[in-house]
Amino acid sequence: MQKAKVIVLRTAGTNCDYETVHAFRMVGADVDLIHINQLIRGEKELAQYHILALPGGFSYGDDIAAGKLLANELKYRLRKPIEQFVADGKLMIGICNGFQVMVRAGLLPGFDGISDNQEVTLYTNDSGKFECRWVYLKSVENNKCIFTKNIKQIIYLPVAHGEGKFTTINEEILNKLEENNQIVFKYTDASGECKGYPWNPNGSDKSIAGICDSTGRIFGLMPHPERYISRYNHPRWTREKLEDEGDGLAIFRNAVEYVSNL
């Protein structure tokens, strides 16, 4: 049984990196917080790791579009190591800005590996404002995602984004995601029913909050699992009887256990 080695990638504007490192360490992983320039200069090698995490924040100030510049660095300055990482069957998770990076780098939806053409996007919220609050998510039945294996059907996590509306270039892509069981989470109310705003905070098509690639090993979501790993992170922890472990921690544990059991 091997110990999972995780790289949490940061750059200018990343601001959820320490929380992501802490979440992975809580479930037993060895974690390195690495600046992207260390990979570009060859000081660190992506091949040394089992899991790549792209945390939330506002990389490069979200210039052009959210996550676009970091996505271009992955595509044009780290393409070969990223391609090899994916080909080796390793895991990747992108949270909020990390999800935005993944779709703009062609890592998701990942029907047939990495795509040179962007097929989905995360667009400006329908509300026209930054949404920063807690939401309910429903795990979609039979989804392929390794990160959400045996997770509770309905979980509670915070969102914090201005460009979180998941949409696709055409209806065919949306239907393909559904048919391939690549839709992982949907925004719902507390009972698990998909509804409009404010339950769906951004207007995402089919209330989609997270998707994975066709293998289930690359996962992107807009809500922040690293911000709810303990009952003390919950906004009503003094008023409700809660489990000690927050809903988000299972996502990190599943990834680490998957690597450990290889």
Side-chain angles (χ1 to χ4, degrees):
M1 183 177 289
Q2 63 182 338
K3 191 168 187 178
K5 293 190 67 178
V6 180
I7 175 172
V8 176
L9 196 63
R10 70 177 183 89
T11 191
T14 303
N15 64 18
C16 299
D17 43 341
Y18 285 101
E19 294 95 328
T20 306
V21 168
H22 181 60
F24 272 114
R25 284 179 177 162
M26 279 187 68
V27 293
D30 282 337
V31 190
D32 288 337
L33 178 58
I34 301 296
H35 194 284
I36 191 170
N37 287 348
Q38 293 175 272
L39 291 181
I40 291 171
R41 292 193 297 257
E43 297 166 8
K44 295 287 183 178
E45 292 185 6
L46 192 57
Q48 299 173 342
Y49 300 93
H50 304 109
I51 303 169
L52 168 62
L54 301 173
F58 303 90
S59 57
Y60 300 111
D62 281 346
D63 280 351
I64 304 176
K68 181 63 175 178
L69 296 181
L70 181 53
N72 283 351
E73 287 192 302
L74 296 184
K75 284 177 69 173
Y76 302 117
R77 306 197 71 179
L78 292 171
R79 187 177 184 99
K80 286 187 177 180
I82 290 288
E83 287 178 337
Q84 190 60 53
F85 196 86
V86 173
D88 290 341
K90 296 182 177 181
L91 304 184
M92 297 179 62
I93 182 171
I95 302 168
C96 196
N97 192 242
F99 187 14
Q100 295 162 338
V101 170
M102 281 182 165
V103 302
R104 292 190 164 100
L107 289 160
L108 287 172
F111 295 127
D112 300 296
I114 302 172
S115 175
D116 287 325
N117 300 313
Q118 188 178 336
E119 298 170 303
V120 306
T121 196
L122 293 151
Y123 191 61
T124 304
N125 299 343
D126 280 357
S127 65
K129 63 181 181 180
F130 189 83
E131 298 285 344
C132 185
R133 52 193 171 82
W134 288 67
V135 297
Y136 291 99
L137 304 173
K138 184 176 183 178
S139 178
V140 177
E141 190 175 358
N142 297 322
N143 75 76
K144 294 179 176 179
C145 187
I146 286 164
F147 289 84
T148 58
K149 182 181 178 182
N150 298 323
I151 201 165
K152 291 191 298 186
Q153 188 178 30
I154 299 174
I155 65 172
Y156 196 49
L157 293 178
V159 293
H161 59 253
E163 297 177 49
K165 178 179 179 175
F166 182 89
T167 190
T168 62
I169 58 173
N170 55 46
E171 195 75 18
E172 183 182 351
I173 297 293
L174 197 58
N175 292 337
K176 193 172 181 179
L177 282 168
E178 208 160 31
E179 292 163 6
N180 286 359
N181 297 318
Q182 289 178 235
I183 299 174
V184 180
F185 283 127
K186 290 191 174 187
Y187 300 108
T188 68
D189 63 12
S191 69
E193 183 179 348
C194 290
K195 292 182 176 179
Y197 189 85
W199 306 106
N200 178 343
N202 45 51
S204 286
D205 294 349
K206 292 187 181 290
S207 297
I208 293 172
I211 65 169
C212 66
D213 75 331
S214 60
T215 71
R217 294 191 297 261
I218 301 176
F219 176 40
L221 74 165
M222 286 309 298
H224 287 267
E226 82 285 2
R227 295 186 183 181
Y228 185 26
I229 55 177
S230 162
R231 65 188 296 264
Y232 301 110
N233 300 137
H234 194 287
R236 298 185 300 277
W237 73 269
T238 60
R239 288 172 282 164
E240 295 184 13
K241 188 175 182 180
L242 303 167
E243 296 177 8
D244 288 339
E245 183 176 302
D247 289 348
L249 195 62
I251 289 171
F252 301 98
R253 179 181 290 111
N254 278 330
V256 169
E257 289 183 350
Y258 175 84
V259 170
S260 298
N261 292 326
L262 289 177

